[in-house]
Amino acid sequence: MDSLLVASFPNSYSYSTTTTATSRNLWRTKASANNYSSIASFGAPKASRHKRNIQKEYNNLKFWKPNLSLYCRGAEGCNRKFVVKAAPEQSFESEQPAFDPKNFLDAFYRFSRPHTVIGTALSIISVSLLAVEKLSDISPLFFTGVLEAVVAALFMNIYIVGLNQLSDVEIDKINKPYLPLASGEYSFATGAIIVAASSILSFWLGWIVGSGPLLCALFISFVLGTAYSINVPLLRWKRFAVLAAMCILSVRAVIVQLAFFLHMQAFVYKRPVVFSRPLIFATAFMSFFSVVIALFKDIPDIEGDKIFGIQSFSVRLGQKRVFWICVCLLELAYGVALVVGATSSCLWSKIVTGLGHAVLGSLLLHHAKSVDLKNKASITSFYMFIWKLFYAEYLLIPLVR
């Protein structure tokens, strides 16, 4: 059907005599059109009111079109509005897209930042293995304790990364437009519901389990994650490079190592607290790694951070300098790990940890030389490679003896 043209006019105008006459002719034409429509429809087969109304408007506007154009030319400041074309049987009501569970889950996968989810799960499992003293310790009790800790921590992880996205929607439209909130796949309300539900479920599971170290880890992570992202006075610590790095360091390097080890050692196994050599090594090594992650994650996001006043180290020092600082810090950590492995009293631990860290350090240097610092995709790819090194380290940590 032809486009339906709707014209809206100001409340008061001064019209010329010609315009007034044209207006009278317009309304006569409208009346004639209505009569024509009524006569044409008399005796016809019964049709739906919807179709009759559309046909009536169509007939009216066919008659109106020449006069309506003249009328608009005669009126100063006449505003014209147009509506979309519609077929005779098409509804004028806007249709909401149907809910698609597959698309929702795909968006949730990206919303949860899977590389952080994998890192959290691996770190808890790895640290929990440090509490294993003999083969019989790997029992249903062990798996139950690990599962309780992992599930509660993953809900808290989703709260932290989700809150960061809620606070950074406008920044992410520049830095990470593929995220659900920035792309519009999730509304702000949907994101807020997921974030709130995740925090409630995390604390609820921690309370049900009744582990003091687990609750302590969840609470400190909640406080630091909130302070890092939320945009209220004295908070939003991500604006300040040192505070942002300290938040990530505290959670990834200290809380994860100590709290989840104590959860297994003291709460699950009911043993006295002993800070073993592998635990001290894991905490020290992951301190280096957490600083690298805190520094490197801002390198690809320098464009949006500059616009919104986020004073990251990459903004202040430049991408190239921060990039090589991160590489040097990790190589230093791998060097320390080689020394720790070489001084181990256990032969198989000496070989595995020494060889493993030598290989990882070599891979890091090889990949670093091939990164194009002018290409955001290349930098982001290397950042994901650093997370793979992070995962690999947690596979080696239980073997340090």
Side-chain angles (χ1 to χ4, degrees):
M1 189 179 78
D2 292 340
S3 298
L4 299 182
L5 179 61
V6 180
S8 61
F9 307 97
N11 291 332
S12 60
Y13 287 103
S14 296
Y15 302 107
S16 64
T17 306
T18 303
T19 306
T20 306
T22 303
S23 176
R24 286 198 296 270
N25 290 336
L26 175 62
W27 293 110
R28 287 197 194 99
T29 305
K30 175 183 176 183
S32 299
N34 288 337
N35 293 335
Y36 174 82
S37 178
S38 300
I39 294 169
S41 61
F42 182 77
K46 186 177 180 180
S48 67
R49 180 177 300 178
H50 178 67
K51 291 183 179 180
R52 288 203 308 274
N53 289 339
I54 292 179
Q55 185 63 41
K56 182 177 178 180
E57 292 296 326
Y58 174 70
N59 291 333
N60 288 346
L61 290 172
K62 280 206 307 182
F63 282 99
W64 288 11
K65 188 174 180 181
N67 294 325
L68 188 58
S69 300
L70 180 61
Y71 186 79
C72 285
R73 286 197 299 269
E76 295 180 2
C78 175
N79 297 324
R80 300 181 185 183
K81 296 181 181 178
F82 297 88
V83 296
V84 296
K85 294 181 178 180
E89 296 183 3
Q90 187 177 10
S91 171
F92 290 105
E93 297 179 0
S94 60
E95 296 181 0
Q96 296 295 330
F99 174 74
D100 188 341
K102 184 178 179 180
N103 290 341
F104 183 88
L105 291 176
D106 176 67
F108 180 76
Y109 175 79
R110 283 177 280 120
F111 182 81
S112 65
R113 309 295 280 145
H115 61 281
T116 66
V117 169
I118 295 170
T120 297
L122 272 178
S123 61
I124 293 172
I125 294 170
S126 177
V127 171
S128 298
L129 286 170
L130 293 180
V132 173
E133 296 179 356
K134 50 187 182 295
L135 193 60
S136 60
D137 286 342
I138 303 178
S139 62
L141 182 66
F142 170 81
F143 290 108
T144 300
V146 171
L147 183 63
E148 291 168 345
V150 168
V151 175
L154 290 185
F155 277 124
M156 185 55 64
N157 190 97
I158 294 172
Y159 164 78
I160 292 172
V161 298
L163 181 64
N164 187 53
Q165 291 173 69
L166 287 173
S167 303
D168 286 358
V169 175
E170 296 304 319
I171 300 178
D172 287 340
K173 287 179 181 178
I174 300 173
N175 292 339
K176 303 180 181 74
Y178 53 86
L179 292 178
L181 287 172
S183 66
E185 294 172 87
Y186 276 0
S187 67
F188 189 88
T190 300
I193 290 171
I194 294 174
V195 166
S198 297
S199 64
I200 292 170
L201 286 171
S202 179
F203 282 119
W204 178 74
L205 284 172
W207 181 262
I208 292 297
V209 172
S211 168
L214 176 59
L215 276 172
C216 183
L218 297 177
F219 178 74
I220 295 175
S221 299
F222 174 85
V223 171
L224 293 178
T226 302
Y228 178 85
S229 296
I230 195 166
N231 194 7
V232 298
L234 302 180
L235 297 182
R236 194 164 173 75
W237 292 352
K238 69 176 297 177
R239 294 176 298 167
F240 312 105
V242 175
L243 284 176
M246 290 304 298
C247 285
I248 297 173
L249 173 66
S250 299
V251 174
R252 289 286 177 190
V254 181
I255 300 303
V256 168
Q257 320 306 320
L258 299 183
F260 289 103
F261 173 80
L262 292 176
H263 167 70
M264 295 300 298
Q265 181 79 0
F267 177 77
V268 175
Y269 289 134
K270 310 295 183 185
R271 292 171 180 163
V273 176
V274 177
F275 294 101
S276 61
R277 181 172 179 266
L279 178 63
I280 296 172
F281 166 77
T283 304
F285 190 95
M286 284 305 165
S287 295
F288 277 93
F289 226 124
S290 298
V291 170
V292 169
I293 289 175
L295 295 177
F296 204 99
K297 74 178 186 60
D298 296 322
I299 297 178
D301 298 340
I302 190 170
E303 183 181 353
D305 289 350
K306 282 182 178 179
I307 294 173
F308 288 90
I310 305 298
Q311 294 298 310
S312 65
F313 281 110
S314 296
V315 172
R316 295 166 62 184
L317 303 178
Q319 289 175 301
K320 183 176 181 179
R321 184 176 297 180
V322 173
F323 176 87
W324 286 108
I325 287 174
C326 290
V327 173
C328 291
L329 283 175
L330 272 186
E331 291 293 356
L332 178 62
Y334 285 129
V336 173
L338 285 173
V339 174
V340 172
T343 58
S344 174
S345 58
C346 179
L347 180 61
W348 64 265
S349 177
K350 181 182 297 189
I351 296 173
V352 173
T353 56
L355 183 61
H357 287 104
V359 170
L360 294 179
S362 300
L363 287 174
L364 171 66
L365 190 59
H366 173 73
H367 279 269
K369 291 178 179 178
S370 64
V371 175
D372 181 5
L373 293 175
K374 296 181 181 179
N375 187 323
K376 183 175 180 179
S378 179
I379 298 173
T380 303
S381 176
F382 188 76
Y383 177 56
M384 290 297 104
F385 174 72
I386 287 178
W387 274 95
K388 292 175 183 177
L389 294 178
F390 183 82
Y391 306 152
E393 186 59 34
Y394 272 118
L395 295 178
L396 289 174
I397 281 175
L399 303 178
V400 177
R401 298 294 172 181

